[in-house]
Amino acid sequence: MSNSVVWILESGEDHEGGAVLGVFNTRDTAMGAFVEAAQRMPFGLDDAREEADGSLRLHGGCDWLSLGPYPVQTQAALTQGGGA
């Protein structure tokens, strides 16, 4: 069973969905892109939080930005019934 994780940086608008901005092998690797994306948010921040799993979430106006860990599924894990 795999315990590999990737960190996915996403942004979007409330009730409009979002887009993946990047996939990173560690949270630290993603931080530069996260800060750059946060600086491009057009409205002031009205919520910023760090979750227990290390996820980062920003919200400003109707825009949001998130960086979170996602498990990587391997063929072996799927074959053994270890799906998400």
Side-chain angles (χ1 to χ4, degrees), residues 7 27 49-57 69:
W7 288 78
R27 182 177 181 235
R49 65 182 66 189
E50 181 174 5
E51 306 292 342
D53 65 359
S55 297
L56 301 173
R57 306 199 189 286

Side-chain angles (χ1 to χ4, degrees), residues 13-59:
E13 295 181 30
D14 294 345
H15 314 293
E16 298 292 328
V20 173
L21 302 178
V23 179
F24 304 86
N25 63 335
T26 68
R27 182 177 181 235
D28 288 342
T29 303
M31 287 309 295
F34 179 82
V35 170
E36 287 177 15
Q39 291 172 337
R40 289 192 306 266
M41 290 181 72
F43 304 106
L45 296 179
D46 46 46
D47 188 28
R49 65 182 66 189
E50 181 174 5
E51 306 292 342
D53 65 359
S55 297
L56 301 173
R57 306 199 189 286
L58 300 179
H59 191 269

Side-chain angles (χ1 to χ4, degrees), residues 71 73 78 81-84:
Q73 295 298 318
L78 294 173

